[in-house]
Amino acid sequence: MDGEGRRAVPDTAFLTAEIEHHFGLFDLRISFGLTSPWTVLFGPSGAGKSTILRILAGLIQPQNGKITLQKCVLLDSNEGVCISTGKRRIGYVTQQPALFPHMTVRRNVAFGLHEFSPEERNRRVSEMLRLFRVERLAERFPRELSGGEYQRAALARTLAPEPKLLMLDEPFSGLDAELKESILSELTAWLAEREVPALYVSHDVAEAYQTAADVIVIENGRLETQGPVQQVLASRREQLLRQLGVSLPTPAPAPDGSQIFPQP
């Protein structure tokens, strides 16, 4: 750690962020780099996790900061650079996503695919509907969906344009455990095939282990530690095992250098 809330950023990072942002009594001061296909932001409520995602997405402009994604500068306060949200090519699913109420699920998923040919658009929409188990809901409107169905449709819409980074703010909270595990497994495989990394806010230790994630622990607006899930969350996993008396998923092998997404 180079200073309070700061960490040396590796040269292999596909995303780098240096952020200083103050609002009310909260002070966010953090720097980090992402090198893993999956990274989990882990920490208590109010630590600053969702704020970090909103800043990366361009929904909040910090007082000071610099953000790069695949060597493209998205934000540089010193140089007056701030790429708009729609041009960052970052997919972002919040805890309470908003679908267009006047559009069916199918039209919602197709909304961001204007640059695709009709054939490719239809193929991609069908793929997303199938991936998130909402094929039978394709002609329904958002008001006709349950909470879990709504969340799955929002995930399908976000992934359809193939963003350069997918950010997820506890997106599976409305799903039962079996469906959550199944979708998370298929989503992990889909992202890996297309080399789309994910930054994922979660309080679920088992989810972090299932994705073999790198973990960033946030406390009071500061980065406490960052590293492989097997190291960073080992103590929390053991504590849960003792409390619940059940086995959590066996961690997948930590990714080696060949699994890290190549730089363009």
Side-chain angles (χ1 to χ4, degrees), residues 188-208:
T188 303
W190 190 92
L191 293 173
E193 181 182 344
R194 289 157 179 79
E195 297 186 348
V196 177
L199 180 60
Y200 182 36
V201 169
S202 177
H203 296 99
D204 191 325
V205 176
E207 286 178 2

Side-chain angles (χ1 to χ4, degrees), residues 131-148:
L131 176 65
F132 289 102
R133 308 283 203 277
V134 290
E135 292 171 289
R136 63 183 179 82
L137 310 173
E139 305 309 322
R140 293 190 187 181
F141 289 90
R143 64 179 178 273
E144 300 173 311
L145 305 177
S146 69

Side-chain angles (χ1 to χ4, degrees), residues 66-84:
K66 183 174 182 179
I67 300 168
T68 66
L69 176 59
Q70 296 182 0
K71 299 184 179 179
C72 176
V73 177
L74 304 182
L75 173 73
D76 190 330
S77 302
N78 293 333
E79 299 295 331
V81 175
C82 184
I83 303 300
S84 63

